[in-house]
Amino acid sequence: MKKVISVDIGGTAVKFALISENGEVLKKWNIDTNVTDNGGHLPDDIVDSVKMNTVDTENDEIIGIGIGVPGPISNNGGNVLKAVNLGWNNVPLRQIISAKLNLPVVLLNDANAATLGEMWKGAAQNKSNFVFITLGTGVGGGIVIDGKVINGVHSAGGEIGHIPVESDEHRVCGCGNINCLETFASANGLVKTISKIFEENNIEKNEYTSVDLFEDLEKGNKYAQEALDLTVKRLGLAIAGIINALDVEGVIIGGGLSNAGDALLDPLREQVAKNVFPQIRGNYSLKKAYLGNDAGILGDAYAVFYGDI
Amino acid sequence: MKKVISVDIGGTAVKFALISENGEVLKKWNIDTNVTDNGGHLPDDIVDSVKMNTVDTENDEIIGIGIGVPGPISNNGGNVLKAVNLGWNNVPLRQIISAKLNLPVVLLNDANAATLGEMWKGAAQNKSNFVFITLGTGVGGGIVIDGKVINGVHSAGGEIGHIPVESDEHRVCGCGNINCLETFASANGLVKTISKIFEENNIEKNEYTSVDLFEDLEKGNKYAQEALDLTVKRLGLAIAGIINALDVEGVIIGGGLSNAGDALLDPLREQVAKNVFPQIRGNYSLKKAYLGNDAGILGDAYAVFYGDI
């Protein structure tokens, strides 16, 4: 049976998995992410952990390694251009890992990996034209056209969180731009929106989170409703814009906010439907991602099994 | 020398051209578009005109026919799904023309054809990831990723004019939706914007056009400036959004409004640059289309010579 080792490098942990050709997760393990010395020890840590955890596995069964990283990959697929959380700057990771483990290596941006994971085994199964949007601390995503993730000319494809929003507000985004979608539609953005509403109504709240907001929403709180409506309006316009430009067949919503389920998705579906091109209306789906944290490792494996290595 | 016959079907005229493999237009001619009987005579008119105008051409030199139509094409490439201006509804044009002229036929949406034309011989030469936007009576366009036009799952890819804009206004679009980009950034939209400004300032103007606006702009007219600023702001946000989602290397602006040249493009460049993702900023171009009305016939020919027929 052919197998692939998936490696999902995050800022605090590196997640590993051994995955079969049909997408079964045969084994999972983690190590802490060592970011000292500009992440210089990480490649060896990864190599050692893979060796230690695959001693029982027949070597000739493992056909390659898929690695998801929190940053852009060079167009030739060999280098991690930048990974701020790891301290990496133009690291030739493919060559390093491939030489030490004597296996082919595929590098992927982590958002693109999660997108491929949802296509292979998640909410976008059997779709080859769709958009995956994660609403978490930030807003990330991936765009798939004809079964391939759009990596972009400067490895910045799928930066849906940085679509600019027309607004009278002046929200500074982590990227340095003003009023990026992320500043409104992320968990942080949502909290910022309701905080502004609280302020306007002289209500004091401390450490109010997006989870509190959805709880208040369930209780019929009008401020929570107002904040959600504003967020859904902006996010829905952006999603409809993407659908109208690309005419995809599906939109998958993941990330922490997607746990709110239909409380978020139902009004979002309504807002998107109002603004999509008539020819497309009714002919696409908007649903919650299935795979949660496993999307990345599955996408890493998919890229090795079925991508153009 | 291999040649292709290009046919660009418009609402008032059908434009024909004989085009060589290197993109030389060897011959051009037109016929009126006969829309009586739901455009039922058009296929025969096209066949007759091709026969009449290619009697001097060695038959074995013509390798195929590329036809651009003002409407969406079925995913299998055989049918014109709808062409309101022609009265067509699901016309199997490829089969009809191919059988009568005994040549392979490629059908294209006219906006997509113009996009391919600009890629082959126009402003997007040597680019394989770019967006073409026409600012005319409406706003149309095409999106090219890895050298291929995105046709979309429902043949509605590239409907950039129908990206929704966040606005307090309520502009009804031809498609039936509210506040589509087209209602702001087309020649008509621009005129609507300045008309509103004139009204607010109790100024009466009759039959004021977008050409008048750019003339007034040159004279330093503040209302013209205000209307342009508003238009550029909205169009620039939409373009930056597309660039951030797809990470393309270029944006080409065509259509009637593009004749305003840098009076439009310079402020637009500034607005887009402010809103693109930092990693992309400075690494793309925004320029005027080169080919004007010839873009379509060149794209039709390109699709036959170099597309996947």
Side-chain angles (χ1 to χ4, degrees):
Chain A
M1 186 174 55
K2 287 185 188 169
K3 296 167 188 168
V4 158
I5 297 162
S6 290
V7 184
D8 184 10
I9 310 180
T12 54
V14 183
K15 295 185 288 180
F16 297 80
L18 187 66
I19 294 179
S20 73
E21 205 169 2
N22 58 16
E24 207 184 333
V25 180
L26 305 168
K27 184 177 177 176
K28 270 166 106 170
W29 70 99
N30 288 344
I31 62 171
D32 290 341
T33 305
N34 181 356
V35 292
T36 57
D37 302 327
N38 284 327
H41 308 288
L42 259 176
D44 277 342
D45 289 356
I46 289 169
V47 167
D48 292 345
S49 186
V50 166
K51 280 184 180 162
M52 218 167 65
N53 283 277
T54 54
V55 282
D56 302 337
T57 315
E58 298 283 338
N59 257 337
D60 57 353
E61 288 187 340
I62 299 177
I63 65 159
I65 305 182
I67 307 182
V69 296
I73 308 296
S74 62
N75 277 334
N76 68 8
N79 290 30
V80 180
L81 293 176
K82 206 178 185 73
V84 182
N85 293 340
L86 310 177
W88 284 2
N89 226 324
N90 209 21
V91 174
L93 190 67
R94 183 173 63 185
Q95 166 59 21
I96 295 173
I97 304 285
S98 184
K100 295 202 172 167
L101 289 173
N102 200 24
L103 280 169
V105 169
V106 180
L107 303 184
L108 297 93
N109 167 269
D110 55 4
N112 290 350
T115 306
L116 289 176
E118 290 289 343
M119 180 169 82
W120 191 26
K121 292 289 165 187
Q125 272 179 73
N126 307 319
K127 294 210 190 315
S128 47
N129 292 276
F130 70 98
V131 178
F132 176 53
I133 304 178
T134 56
L135 308 173
T137 319
V139 171
I143 298 172
V144 172
I145 298 292
D146 292 339
K148 289 179 65 177
V149 173
I150 294 185
N151 190 47
V153 177
H154 316 95
S155 307
E159 288 293 354
I160 291 163
H162 301 281
I163 292 177
V165 168
E166 177 151 351
S167 167
D168 295 335
E169 294 190 45
H170 186 92
R171 298 197 183 182
V172 181
C173 183
C175 80
N177 287 356
I178 307 303
N179 290 345
C180 288
L181 180 63
E182 174 164 306
T183 68
F184 293 99
S186 63
N188 290 338
L190 186 55
V191 169
K192 210 170 277 177
T193 300
I194 198 163
S195 300
K196 190 164 169 274
I197 295 170
F198 284 149
E199 218 180 281
E200 286 163 1
N201 290 279
N202 299 312
I203 295 166
E204 260 196 54
K205 294 267 186 186
N206 288 319
E207 312 209 1
Y208 192 88
T209 69
S210 58
V211 174
D212 298 324
L213 188 148
F214 280 102
E215 279 175 16
D216 281 349
L217 192 72
E218 222 170 295
K219 295 178 204 149
N221 181 291
K222 69 173 179 174
Y223 305 118
Q225 187 64 54
E226 192 184 334
L228 185 78
D229 289 350
L230 278 168
T231 305
V232 159
K233 187 181 171 195
R234 285 152 177 162
L235 180 59
L237 285 177
I239 291 176
I242 296 170
I243 292 178
N244 291 350
L246 301 177
D247 186 11
V248 289
E249 59 197 313
V251 178
I252 312 297
I253 308 285
L257 282 190
S258 72
N259 294 328
D262 287 340
L264 170 69
L265 295 188
D266 278 345
L268 189 58
R269 286 188 183 105
E270 205 180 307
Q271 171 71 357
V272 172
K274 256 199 311 204
N275 289 287
V276 293
F277 196 55
Q279 199 172 317
I280 302 175
R281 187 171 295 134
N283 295 315
Y284 65 92
S285 60
L286 191 158
K287 54 185 176 178
K288 191 172 177 298
Y290 288 172
L291 300 174
N293 289 330
D294 279 355
I297 52 169
L298 282 162
D300 296 332
Y302 176 85
V304 178
F305 282 125
Y306 305 106
D308 324 330
I309 305 188
Chain B
M1 187 174 55
K2 286 185 189 171
K3 295 167 189 169
V4 158
I5 297 162
S6 289
V7 183
D8 184 11
I9 311 181
T12 55
V14 183
K15 294 186 287 181
F16 297 81
L18 188 66
I19 293 179
S20 75
E21 204 169 3
N22 58 14
E24 207 185 333
V25 180
L26 306 167
K27 183 176 178 176
K28 270 167 105 171
W29 71 99
N30 287 345
I31 62 170
D32 291 341
T33 304
N34 181 357
V35 292
T36 56
D37 303 326
N38 284 326
H41 308 286
L42 260 175
D44 277 343
D45 290 356
I46 290 169
V47 168
D48 292 346
S49 185
V50 167
K51 281 184 178 162
M52 218 167 65
N53 283 277
T54 54
V55 283
D56 300 338
T57 314
E58 298 283 336
N59 258 337
D60 57 355
E61 288 187 340
I62 299 177
I63 66 157
I65 305 182
I67 307 182
V69 296
I73 307 297
S74 61
N75 277 332
N76 68 9
N79 290 30
V80 179
L81 292 176
K82 205 177 185 73
V84 182
N85 293 341
L86 310 177
W88 283 2
N89 225 324
N90 209 21
V91 174
L93 191 66
R94 182 172 65 184
Q95 165 61 20
I96 296 172
I97 304 286
S98 183
K100 294 201 172 167
L101 289 173
N102 200 22
L103 280 168
V105 169
V106 179
L107 304 185
L108 296 93
N109 167 269
D110 55 5
N112 290 350
T115 305
L116 289 176
E118 289 290 343
M119 180 170 82
W120 191 25
K121 292 290 165 187
Q125 272 179 73
N126 307 320
K127 293 210 191 316
S128 47
N129 292 275
F130 70 97
V131 179
F132 176 53
I133 304 178
T134 57
L135 308 173
T137 319
V139 171
I143 298 171
V144 173
I145 299 292
D146 292 339
K148 288 179 67 177
V149 173
I150 294 185
N151 190 47
V153 177
H154 318 94
S155 306
E159 288 293 354
I160 292 162
H162 301 281
I163 291 176
V165 168
E166 177 151 350
S167 167
D168 294 335
E169 295 191 45
H170 186 93
R171 297 197 182 182
V172 181
C173 182
C175 79
N177 287 356
I178 307 303
N179 291 345
C180 288
L181 180 62
E182 174 164 306
T183 66
F184 293 98
S186 63
N188 289 339
L190 186 55
V191 169
K192 211 170 278 179
T193 300
I194 198 163
S195 300
K196 189 164 168 275
I197 296 171
F198 284 149
E199 218 180 281
E200 286 163 0
N201 290 279
N202 298 314
I203 295 166
E204 261 196 54
K205 293 269 184 185
N206 288 320
E207 312 210 1
Y208 192 87
T209 69
S210 58
V211 175
D212 297 325
L213 188 149
F214 281 102
E215 279 175 16
D216 280 349
L217 191 72
E218 223 171 295
K219 294 178 204 150
N221 181 292
K222 67 173 180 175
Y223 304 118
Q225 188 63 54
E226 192 184 334
L228 186 76
D229 289 350
L230 277 169
T231 305
V232 159
K233 187 181 170 196
R234 285 153 177 161
L235 180 59
L237 285 177
I239 291 176
I242 296 170
I243 292 178
N244 291 350
L246 301 177
D247 186 12
V248 291
E249 59 197 314
V251 178
I252 312 298
I253 308 285
L257 282 191
S258 72
N259 294 328
D262 287 339
L264 170 68
L265 295 188
D266 278 344
L268 189 58
R269 287 188 183 104
E270 205 179 306
Q271 170 71 357
V272 173
K274 255 199 312 203
N275 289 287
V276 292
F277 195 55
Q279 200 172 316
I280 303 175
R281 187 171 294 135
N283 295 315
Y284 65 91
S285 61
L286 191 158
K287 53 185 178 179
K288 190 171 177 300
Y290 288 172
L291 300 174
N293 289 331
D294 279 355
I297 52 169
L298 282 163
D300 295 333
Y302 176 87
V304 177
F305 281 126
Y306 305 105
D308 323 330
I309 305 188

